[in-house]
Amino acid sequence: MDVLTRLAVMIGLLTVGVGLRRVGVLDATRVEWLNSVAFYVVLPALVFNSTYDKPLSEIVTPTLLVGLVGVLGITAGVGWLVHRRIADDGARAAATVQSYHTNLGYIGLPVVASALGERAAGIGSVILGMGALVQIPLTVSILVAVTGNSRNFRSEVRRLATNPVLVALLVGLAVSRSPATVTGIPADAIALVAEAALPVALLCVGGSIQLQSMEADRSIVGSVLAMKLLVMPVVAWVVYAALGADLWTLRTAVVMFGAPAAVSTFVYVTEMGGDRRLASILVFLSTVASAFTLSAWIAVVP
């Protein structure tokens, strides 16, 4: 799939998802059902399919894990500094977390699998799984620090233990290390489900976006979009290059961290006292803009 075709597909599926939500076809119940299919079936299938038959040494390396923590830590720190002067606590909370908290699952990994192939998808699966362990506690901690609302901190951390993507990653890595293998009809079925990851994920994102008004402080919106879609992938490029990462890891990391703000940030911001309207706008705009920026990163990274 060339860049222009991929761009058209991403924008088309996002538009369909948003349109179906607006006309009521994807109501709250159906969006929840579609998200459950993506979260509990399609994404775990993609993660497992991308890891179970790969040598562990190819996809899990100290460089990959150190780089992941470095990219998230640096970008979150820069986001905190960039947005520290926003007077409203709710807006500052939303802007800060959406400058780094990446949609690794619904956009990042499916795009990597589609554009870069199986080996990159295996590396991306590790970034997705390990990224959740870093992103979620970091985001909840920042929201608590900014808004002072801590009621959901423990529950969100506990949910990590039963995250189906993490479970699929651990099972896939365990199979890759064992003499056992998955072949025949089961392997074909898992691969078939995994291929649905990108379209299902994009429909989920489009159907999950809640737009109440597009009016927002342009300086805040512009700075968040720049941080998320331009600065963060540059940070990923610099960090992994400095660590001496191989080309596959470098390309995968840049594309994964170039994905838009995660839809889940809207949920976190809403539940913990942030500006839900701004969070919704930023998810929508970063997702639409990422169709262009991700295509550019895929073309530019060697």
Side-chain angles (χ1 to χ4, degrees):
M1 186 184 297
D2 61 33
V3 172
L4 291 178
T5 302
R6 188 177 300 110
L7 180 62
V9 168
M10 288 184 67
I11 293 176
L13 287 169
L14 282 171
T15 303
V16 169
V18 172
L20 292 176
R21 178 62 181 256
R22 290 185 68 85
V23 301
V25 174
L26 279 179
D27 57 18
T29 300
R30 291 181 181 130
V31 169
E32 184 177 351
W33 177 83
L34 191 59
N35 271 299
S36 295
V37 171
F39 189 61
Y40 291 101
V41 180
V42 178
L43 285 176
L46 177 57
V47 169
F48 180 81
N49 189 64
S50 301
T51 53
Y52 80 93
D53 60 348
K54 308 293 188 303
L56 192 61
S57 59
E58 277 189 10
I59 55 178
V60 181
T61 65
T63 297
L64 178 65
L65 302 181
V66 171
L68 183 152
V69 174
V71 172
L72 288 171
I74 291 170
T75 311
V78 173
W80 181 280
L81 292 174
V82 167
H83 303 303
R84 70 188 185 282
R85 291 191 176 89
I86 299 176
D88 180 74
D89 287 346
R92 186 166 75 255
T96 301
V97 301
Q98 291 184 312
S99 292
Y100 71 86
H101 194 128
T102 307
N103 197 333
L104 298 172
Y106 282 15
I107 302 259
L109 182 59
V111 169
V112 162
S114 173
L116 304 183
E118 290 187 4
R119 183 170 179 181
I123 297 169
S125 295
V126 177
I127 292 177
L128 168 59
M130 296 299 102
L133 292 174
V134 179
Q135 282 195 144
I136 295 174
L138 179 60
T139 289
V140 175
S141 297
I142 287 176
L143 289 172
V144 169
V146 176
T147 68
N149 188 332
S150 61
R151 68 179 184 274
N152 291 312
F153 182 86
R154 292 181 180 177
S155 63
E156 291 299 334
V157 173
R158 283 197 299 267
R159 284 172 60 186
L160 280 173
T162 56
N163 187 307
V165 171
L166 285 177
V167 173
L169 175 63
L170 293 175
V171 173
L173 294 177
V175 172
S176 75
R177 289 279 293 172
S178 73
T181 186
V182 180
T183 58
I185 293 177
D188 293 340
I190 293 170
L192 185 63
V193 174
E195 288 180 4
L198 184 58
V200 170
L202 288 170
L203 285 174
C204 281
V205 172
S208 299
I209 291 171
Q210 300 181 37
L211 288 179
Q212 300 164 339
S213 168
M214 289 300 291
E215 295 181 5
D217 188 315
R218 292 183 181 180
S219 64
I220 295 177
V221 171
S223 62
V224 172
L225 293 182
M227 281 290 305
K228 183 74 231 34
L229 302 178
L230 301 176
V231 173
M232 193 169 194
V234 168
V235 170
W237 196 331
V238 171
V239 167
Y240 279 98
L243 291 171
D246 63 86
L247 183 59
W248 282 104
T249 300
L250 177 63
R251 294 186 73 195
T252 303
V254 170
V255 175
M256 289 285 286
F257 287 116
V263 176
S264 61
T265 58
F266 171 78
V267 177
Y268 293 134
V269 169
T270 298
E271 290 182 350
M272 305 193 72
D275 188 331
R276 70 191 304 271
R277 184 180 62 83
L278 177 61
S280 179
I281 291 170
L282 290 172
V283 168
F284 174 74
L285 292 179
S286 67
T287 301
V288 172
S290 73
F292 298 90
T293 55
L294 281 172
S295 296
W297 286 118
I298 290 167
V300 168
V301 181

